[in-house]
Amino acid sequence: MSGIYTPLEAATAPARSMDGNRHSLLGSQTHLALDNSEDMIHSRSESSDSHHSSMSASNKLVTSAEEGLRKEIGLISASSIIVGQVVGSGIFSTPGSVALLCGTPAMALVLWAVSGVVSLGGALGSAELGTMFPQNGGMIRYLAHSYPRPRALVATIMAYSVTFFCRPAAIAANVAVFAQYFFFAAGKHDYIESRDYLLRGIGAVVMTVLLILNIVSVRWSLRLLNVFAAIKMVTLLIVSITGFLLLVGILKRTPGTNWSRGFSGTKFDAQSFASAMTRLFWSWEGWSNVGYVVGEVKNVKRNLPLSLGLAMSTLGVLYLLANVAYFSIIPLEDIDNGTLLAAQFLDRVFGPTMGQKVLPACIGISILGVVMSELFGGGRLMYTAGKTGFVPYGTMLGEIHPRFGTPIYALLIIWALSLVFLFAPPPGQAFDLLVDLVQEGMWYFYALTAFGVIILRRRLPQYPLRRFRSPLILAGLFGGLSFALGVLQFYPPARIPGSSDPKVPYYLAPLLGVIFMVLCGIPWYLRMWRYVNRTGIQLLAWIDNEEQEVLQMSNDQVRHLSA
């Protein structure tokens, strides 16, 4: 997900034999201790027959479609989900700070290209895992299969930290600032500084409207996501085509030293590099969102890798051309770190109306698209966390509305948590810290997921559902860089010329993020050890069962499931 900026500042029994029926094919959500675990929490003094009956009834593995989820996500909608999450406000503001940190636009352009290729490697690794485990849940499911011991610790920490904190906090952070861009476009700058709770209230109303749409219609939710993605792409195209015309000489560039200086003046210190790469990778982040809804993607073996590859490659070209456009017009010395770089660019090329009114409105719509994508994927994330047994009350969380075909209670809980994060922090430093906390910890989950591609390639070399193979070199590089970026959050950041001093210590957000992940070990112990030992319910048996059922599938069954 692109960085958030304001306009004024930049449970089953052992696996059974296959019966050839789709009902016995790989199920995205195991029902042992998922649908019935809360009902079976009663004392072990209950009759053995009754307990066995409950387990047998819940032992059936079912596909997403059989649970009520409809496969309505095609190639365009899958690409829109990716674009909707990746393109926020970052590409319109981040290039300026990256260039200032690097010292030269030429090096900034190189780092944009490198970070884009590495991020593409992470996305393709996710596509491989998505074809292997074509059910909703994304990284929760991938981490469970990659690191099943001890008792799916990694996946459990990810499930709790992302579903109960990172995702709702990200929704709150985005929905709180989107209205600022519309007030900025309308010339109401005083509303941005003095009407904090008014802006939050507007955000809450809009978020509620988007929630209702997510609940009542998957199809119309996808259509709105497509509209948001189209607006983002048109905005990017306006900037990028201008960059292309400047590149080939059709439009005249502003005389300056941005490109003629080459790499002279580039900063090679670790602080500048780490700060620049952190901003760059967050401008590419968001492609993982499609993994949370992969169980609803049509022809997943084709559409998942294709959507990730096309979306990330297209955005890569547009991002590079946007940077060419910016720095062909704006000299490095003229970059105002307190103003959106894209606004400065459009002011000079098309006049103040484009830079001060049209662009802020488009960015506001772009951020709304991020919120819509986060709600859509977040509901499926919460749904999977319940259905796979990581979170209690799986029966409720995994309930699909019989008419609408959506995870209604999972969506409602994500919405309620987002409201808490939206209104609980007071204005100022506390809310700014919340925005910073959204990204902390995710680096480690990205790294472990990328390494999971390599682990599963060795552990399950002939897995029938692996219909796509990603480049292992890129997956490993993405994993290593993601882990390094997580660690570098504790390293003092470089100072950007013209920026104000941070209001809180730089290490506070990453430290709180690590502390929160450690605290997630408490529900892991209570759920996976104490609860399992007390009830005898094997919450995690679905991990091995899914793998064993797939390994026993015939070719026809594999083709049927991948359709």
Side-chain angles (χ1 to χ4, degrees):
M1 175 180 63
S2 296
I4 302 168
Y5 295 87
T6 64
L8 296 184
E9 61 180 12
T12 64
R16 302 163 292 156
S17 61
M18 300 300 295
D19 61 5
N21 190 309
R22 184 172 175 85
H23 281 71
S24 67
L25 295 180
L26 173 66
S28 66
Q29 284 77 25
T30 298
H31 287 235
L32 174 65
L34 310 183
D35 286 345
N36 293 315
S37 62
E38 271 54 346
D39 297 332
M40 296 169 67
I41 198 171
H42 303 302
S43 115
R44 301 182 78 179
S45 63
E46 291 182 312
S47 70
S48 176
D49 289 342
S50 174
H51 182 75
H52 179 75
S53 175
S54 296
M55 291 177 66
S56 298
S58 61
N59 188 38
K60 179 180 175 181
L61 294 175
V62 294
T63 61
S64 295
E66 288 164 347
E67 292 180 327
L69 291 169
R70 303 161 188 164
K71 283 183 174 287
E72 297 196 18
I73 302 176
L75 177 61
I76 293 178
S77 294
S79 301
S80 296
I81 291 172
I82 298 165
V83 172
Q85 188 80 11
V86 174
V87 182
S89 60
I91 185 57
F92 304 110
S93 55
T94 300
S97 61
V98 170
L100 292 172
L101 286 166
C102 295
T104 59
M107 177 55 72
L109 204 61
V110 170
L111 292 185
W112 273 100
V114 170
S115 62
V117 171
V118 174
S119 296
L120 177 62
L124 294 179
S126 178
E128 176 175 333
L129 295 175
T131 59
M132 290 177 67
F133 311 108
Q135 304 92 16
N136 286 352
M139 285 196 290
I140 290 181
R141 192 172 294 276
Y142 309 155
L143 293 172
H145 284 281
S146 302
Y147 310 96
R149 296 180 180 81
R151 301 200 181 186
L153 171 63
V154 175
T156 305
I157 291 177
M158 190 270 178
Y160 278 91
S161 60
V162 176
T163 56
F164 290 100
F165 180 73
C166 291
R167 179 52 61 99
I171 294 172
N174 278 302
V175 83
V177 301
F178 94 92
Q180 296 185 18
Y181 289 93
F182 292 103
F183 281 121
F184 186 86
K188 304 290 185 180
H189 297 188
D190 57 314
Y191 279 69
I192 299 174
E193 296 292 339
S194 61
R195 307 292 178 90
D196 183 84
Y197 280 104
L198 171 63
L199 297 175
R200 297 195 205 189
I202 294 172
V205 172
V206 172
M207 182 174 63
T208 303
V209 173
L210 295 178
L211 167 79
I212 294 171
L213 182 60
N214 268 279
I215 288 176
V216 301
S217 177
V218 173
R219 185 166 299 175
W220 279 101
S221 296
L222 293 173
R223 287 172 178 169
L224 183 59
L225 279 169
N226 293 341
V227 170
F228 283 138
I231 294 173
K232 295 177 188 223
M233 295 301 289
V234 168
T235 306
L236 263 178
L237 279 169
I238 291 173
V239 177
S240 300
I241 290 175
T242 306
F244 175 76
L245 296 177
L246 290 164
L247 189 65
V248 298
I250 295 177
L251 291 181
K252 191 177 220 180
R253 292 185 297 182
T254 300
T257 59
N258 277 350
W259 304 120
S260 60
R261 77 176 70 186
F263 294 96
S264 177
T266 298
K267 301 176 184 177
F268 292 101
D269 60 287
Q271 281 182 308
S272 298
F273 177 79
S275 298
M277 291 304 285
T278 298
R279 286 167 170 78
L280 287 168
F281 272 94
W282 273 112
S283 293
W284 295 107
E285 196 273 340
W287 45 261
S288 61
N289 200 50
V290 74
Y292 301 139
V293 302
V294 72
E296 298 167 66
V297 175
K298 304 173 185 175
N299 193 7
V300 66
K301 68 180 180 182
R302 170 186 177 270
N303 287 336
L304 182 61
L306 195 56
S307 63
L308 281 163
L310 284 176
M312 294 299 288
S313 298
T314 302
L315 289 177
V317 173
L318 294 180
Y319 277 20
L320 290 176
L321 287 175
N323 275 269
V324 170
Y326 295 149
F327 297 116
S328 295
I329 294 295
I330 305 172
L332 187 64
E333 296 77 14
D334 290 350
I335 293 177
D336 180 1
N337 196 50
T339 304
L340 289 173
L341 185 62
Q344 290 182 264
F345 168 78
L346 292 175
D347 275 353
R348 297 192 180 197
V349 176
F350 299 107
T353 298
M354 284 290 292
Q356 302 300 318
K357 295 185 180 299
V358 176
L359 178 68
C362 289
I363 295 177
I365 294 173
S366 179
I367 294 175
L368 272 183
V370 173
V371 174
M372 183 65 182
S373 184
E374 287 173 333
L375 274 173
F376 191 87
R380 274 68 178 176
L381 186 63
M382 179 71 74
Y383 162 85
T384 302
K387 294 294 288 185
T388 48
F390 291 111
V391 177
Y393 303 103
T395 303
M396 179 189 71
L397 290 174
E399 183 171 334
I400 301 298
H401 194 281
R403 178 181 174 187
F404 302 136
T406 56
I408 179 171
Y409 292 112
L411 283 165
L412 285 170
I413 291 175
I414 285 288
W415 170 78
L417 289 171
S418 300
L419 284 179
V420 172
F421 284 113
L422 180 60
F423 288 106
Q429 297 182 17
F431 195 84
D432 293 341
L433 182 61
L434 172 66
V435 173
D436 292 336
L437 276 172
V438 168
Q439 58 187 326
E440 303 303 339
M442 289 303 297
W443 294 119
Y444 306 110
F445 296 129
Y446 281 129
L448 290 169
T449 301
F451 294 144
V453 177
I454 301 172
I455 292 171
L456 291 173
R457 190 79 70 86
R458 293 176 60 88
R459 185 168 69 81
L460 300 171
Q462 303 300 325
Y463 199 69
L465 285 180
R466 185 187 282 113
R467 311 304 293 273
F468 172 79
R469 289 177 177 265
S470 62
L472 287 185
I473 293 178
L474 285 180
L477 184 59
F478 176 78
L481 282 177
S482 295
F483 185 80
L485 288 173
V487 174
L488 285 173
Q489 302 307 301
F490 293 94
Y491 194 71
R495 175 74 181 273
I496 301 176
S499 64
S500 57
D501 293 328
K503 298 177 182 178
V504 296
Y506 68 88
Y507 56 80
L508 183 59
L511 179 61
L512 291 176
V514 171
I515 291 173
F516 184 82
M517 287 192 294
V518 172
L519 291 176
C520 287
I522 296 175
W524 169 73
Y525 167 75
L526 295 175
R527 185 71 174 163
M528 299 304 174
W529 289 89
R530 186 174 178 181
Y531 176 81
V532 168
N533 293 341
R534 182 159 55 91
T535 62
I537 300 169
Q538 298 304 309
L539 288 172
L540 300 174
W542 62 270
I543 300 174
D544 184 63
N545 282 2
E546 281 189 354
E547 295 175 4
Q548 293 305 314
E549 287 203 12
V550 170
L551 290 171
Q552 298 174 47
M553 283 182 180
S554 66
N555 291 334
D556 288 341
Q557 289 172 321
V558 171
R559 283 193 294 269
H560 195 117
L561 187 62
S562 299

